[in-house]
């Protein structure tokens, strides 16, 4: 089985982490993979064009929109496929600037696309945006003008959570321009470390985001809850990891906060050694990498309800909580933290068992390999 794997990057960003883990999963099944990313392409004028497009999108619409493409797509998928002659094509994170829809439609091969979010099949945004009707309509007009969505019956979508599949189905059923829609969870490296609860009477919770000030990541909602007086008796410490300036918050209830900034791959061990429980109040996340990453170290998570985290966090290995509800109760969040602390070793063991058995490279690699075999046998 020869697979042509095309992604925006296998190195930089959260989507690249997902693509890289999938690549390692395929290697574990001895799949022959030819990988192509923008990092591999020679420098040319299109890179300047892509930068200009993104700058204009930021200026006009903001960072959540993709709707412009001046000139051809960066990757000539048909030419590469003709040269590589793969049995199937695997796509990672990409935009309409990297690969155009016409190339996908004209391809005489089965294609599997592992999605990181809604984009690009449902329009010009990564996620549904509130109170931006007119901006969205303008961006969608440009999106359809430049990208020209095609009938993509040969493109089969793989979502890393049930939540993402349900959300996508709401929009995709309207267009009916994709093939199979499957759920295969994200793979994660088996961490050579097992978290043990801190020996002191306090508890350390963590918050991790690329930019801690990103609205969707929910730090503001988390701090609002942790300021409640009910946490005064917990001796709670909140550790923030990620870029962005943290001004500090006046906490009058014995909760301490420390901002450590971004951490490297080599520092992950120290980060998860420092955290007892990871809090993820992130909205519309299909399956944050930090959830599976934390669980692989045996760190239980409390994640946002009604997101892709529901496919990873169960009552045995963590808790779900609606951080964003106007009725969110700090006492309920405190209760969930104490439930995990009381039976910490059990929760931690369940995290390790789940990631080692269901999210291992071999487990996820086999699921993709079986999908490839099915698709290539039904041409």
């Amino acid at each position: 089985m020869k697979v042509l794997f095309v992604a925006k990057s296998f190195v930089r960003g959260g989507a690249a982490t997902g693509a890289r883990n999938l690549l390692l999963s395929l290697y574990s099944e001895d799949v022959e993979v030819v990988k192509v990313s923008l990092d591999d392409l020679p420098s040319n004028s299109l890179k300047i064009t892509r930068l200009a497009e993104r700058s204009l999108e930021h200026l006009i619409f903001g960072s959540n929109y993709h709707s412009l493409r001046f000139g051809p797509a960066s990757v000539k998928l048909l030419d590469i496929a003709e040269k590589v002659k793969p049995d199937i094509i695997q796509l990672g994170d990409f935009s309409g600037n990297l690969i155009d829809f016409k190339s996908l439609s004209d391809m005489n091969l089965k294609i599997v696309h592992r999605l990181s979010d809604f984009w690009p099949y449902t329009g010009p945004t990564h996620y549904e945006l509130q109170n931006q009707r007119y901006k969205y309509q303008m961006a969608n007009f440009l999106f359809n003008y430049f990208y020209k969505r095609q009938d993509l019956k040969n493109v089969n979508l793989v979502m890393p959570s049930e939540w993402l599949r349900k959300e996508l189905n709401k929009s995709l059923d309207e267009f009916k321009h994709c093939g199979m829609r499957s759920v295969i969870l994200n793979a994660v490296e088996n961490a050579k470390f097992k978290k043990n609860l801190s020996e002191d009477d306090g508890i350390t919770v963590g918050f991790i985001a690329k930019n801690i000030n990103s609205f969707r990541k929910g730090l503001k909602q988390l701090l609002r809850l942790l300021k409640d007086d009910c946490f005064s008796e917990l001796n709670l410490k909140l550790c923030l990891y990620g870029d962005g300036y943290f001004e500090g918050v006046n906490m009058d209830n014995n909760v301490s906060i420390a901002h450590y900034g971004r951490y490297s791959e080599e520092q992950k061990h120290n980060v998860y050694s420092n955290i007892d429980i990871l809090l993820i109040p992130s909205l519309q996340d299909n399956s944050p990498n930090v959830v599976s990453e934390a669980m692989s170290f045996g760190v239980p998570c409390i994640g946002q309800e009604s997101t892709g985290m529901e496919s990873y966090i169960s009552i045995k290995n963590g808790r779900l909580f609606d951080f964003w509800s106007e009725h969110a109760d700090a006492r309920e969040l405190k209760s969930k933290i104490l439930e995990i602390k009381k039976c910490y070793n059990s929760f931690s063991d369940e995290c390790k068992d789940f990631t080692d058995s269901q999210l291992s490279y071999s487990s996820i690699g086999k699921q993709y390999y079986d999908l490839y075999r099915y698709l290539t046998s039904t041409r």
Side-chain angles (χ1 to χ4, degrees):
M1 176 77 68
K2 180 188 278 191
V3 177
L4 173 60
F5 194 163
V6 184
K8 186 175 181 179
S9 176
F10 291 94
V11 179
R12 299 183 300 274
T17 299
R20 186 169 61 251
N21 283 333
L22 174 52
L23 179 66
L24 294 172
S25 299
L26 297 178
Y27 286 156
S28 75
E29 288 295 298
D30 295 325
V31 175
E32 181 183 357
V33 182
V34 178
K35 66 183 182 75
V36 175
S37 72
L38 285 184
D39 302 323
D40 304 319
L41 298 177
S43 179
N44 55 44
S45 59
L46 282 178
K47 291 190 177 182
I48 299 175
T49 304
R50 299 290 92 95
L51 179 61
E53 292 162 354
R54 199 70 189 107
S55 299
L56 274 174
E57 288 169 344
H58 272 262
L59 181 65
I60 300 171
F61 301 113
S63 61
N64 288 311
Y65 286 87
H66 295 273
S67 57
L68 303 178
R69 190 182 76 211
F70 308 133
S74 298
V75 176
K76 297 180 179 178
L77 188 61
L78 290 168
D79 292 346
I80 295 174
E82 179 61 30
K83 181 180 179 180
V84 173
K85 299 189 183 319
D87 298 302
I88 199 163
I89 296 175
Q90 174 70 54
L91 300 178
D93 179 48
F94 81 88
S95 67
N97 301 8
L98 181 62
I99 302 172
D100 61 35
F101 285 117
K102 192 174 188 308
S103 293
L104 301 181
S105 181
D106 292 344
M107 188 66 62
N108 189 28
L109 286 168
K110 294 290 186 179
I111 299 169
V112 175
H113 186 184
R114 176 196 171 276
L115 294 182
S116 295
D117 48 44
F118 300 168
W119 161 260
Y121 296 99
T122 61
T125 57
H126 288 274
Y127 299 98
E128 181 182 358
L129 300 175
Q130 302 295 326
N131 304 319
Q132 298 190 17
R133 176 184 173 189
Y134 295 110
K135 184 185 288 188
Y136 181 90
Q137 288 177 342
M138 181 187 299
N140 197 49
F141 172 80
L142 294 171
F143 176 87
N144 288 318
Y145 176 79
F146 286 111
Y147 293 158
K148 297 179 175 59
R149 278 184 280 197
Q150 309 280 323
D151 181 13
L152 302 175
K153 296 297 184 183
N154 60 332
V155 177
N156 303 275
L157 305 180
V158 173
M159 282 72 79
S161 67
E162 284 289 348
W163 173 82
L164 185 61
R165 175 162 64 177
K166 291 175 183 177
E167 291 298 310
L168 277 164
N169 281 345
K170 295 176 184 177
S171 298
L172 289 176
D173 285 341
E174 178 182 346
F175 302 111
K176 297 187 183 301
H177 52 211
C178 293
M180 285 181 59
R181 302 165 200 176
S182 309
V183 172
I184 300 178
L185 302 184
N186 284 335
V188 67
E189 183 180 7
N190 181 14
K192 309 300 183 186
F193 164 82
K194 169 66 167 58
K195 170 67 184 177
N196 292 309
L197 187 64
S198 305
E199 293 183 0
D200 57 35
D201 293 332
I203 189 162
T204 301
V205 295
F207 174 92
I208 299 174
K210 182 178 180 181
N211 186 327
I212 63 170
N213 295 317
S214 172
F215 173 77
R216 190 169 60 82
K217 295 302 180 182
L219 178 58
K220 182 179 179 180
Q221 280 68 28
L222 176 59
L223 292 175
R224 173 176 58 85
L225 290 161
L226 294 184
K227 289 178 71 174
D228 193 276
D229 288 340
C230 72
F231 285 101
S232 59
E233 60 195 49
L234 262 194
N235 190 18
L236 188 76
K237 180 180 180 181
L238 171 63
C239 296
L240 307 177
Y241 295 92
D243 290 333
Y245 175 68
F246 181 64
E247 295 181 355
V249 178
N250 183 23
M251 307 290 278
D252 299 323
N253 60 356
N254 201 32
V255 174
S256 62
I257 304 176
H259 181 207
Y260 295 97
R262 184 194 299 187
Y263 61 89
S264 66
E265 190 74 16
E266 293 73 25
Q267 295 171 315
K268 281 197 302 186
H269 179 282
N270 293 333
V271 170
Y272 291 112
S273 295
N274 193 36
I275 296 173
D276 297 321
I277 300 172
L278 184 64
L279 305 180
I280 317 104
S282 184
L283 268 186
Q284 294 186 312
D285 256 314
N286 69 80
S287 58
N289 290 314
V290 293
V291 172
S292 52
E293 188 176 88
M295 292 173 70
S296 73
F297 282 90
V299 176
C301 302
I302 300 179
Q304 173 63 32
E305 287 182 357
S306 302
T307 67
M309 287 180 262
E310 292 178 340
S311 291
Y312 298 77
I313 300 174
S314 71
I315 195 169
K316 292 182 178 181
N317 61 34
R319 290 290 184 264
L320 296 166
F321 180 77
D322 190 354
F323 294 87
W324 289 75
S325 171
E326 60 179 313
H327 304 297
D329 188 343
R331 291 168 297 179
E332 182 184 352
L333 177 59
K334 174 189 172 184
S335 175
K336 291 177 183 292
I337 291 173
L338 290 176
E339 286 171 8
I340 293 175
K341 182 179 180 181
K342 182 179 180 180
C343 303
Y344 192 85
N345 288 336
S346 175
F347 279 92
S348 182
D349 289 343
E350 288 289 345
C351 286
K352 286 291 290 179
D353 289 346
F354 174 72
T355 56
D356 291 353
S357 63
Q358 298 190 45
L359 305 185
S360 66
Y361 288 153
S362 59
S363 175
I364 301 303
K366 184 179 186 307
Q367 292 178 63
Y368 271 91
Y369 182 69
D370 289 345
L371 176 62
Y372 296 159
R373 287 204 307 172
Y374 172 77
L375 292 174
T376 53
S377 68
T378 56
R379 289 178 182 173

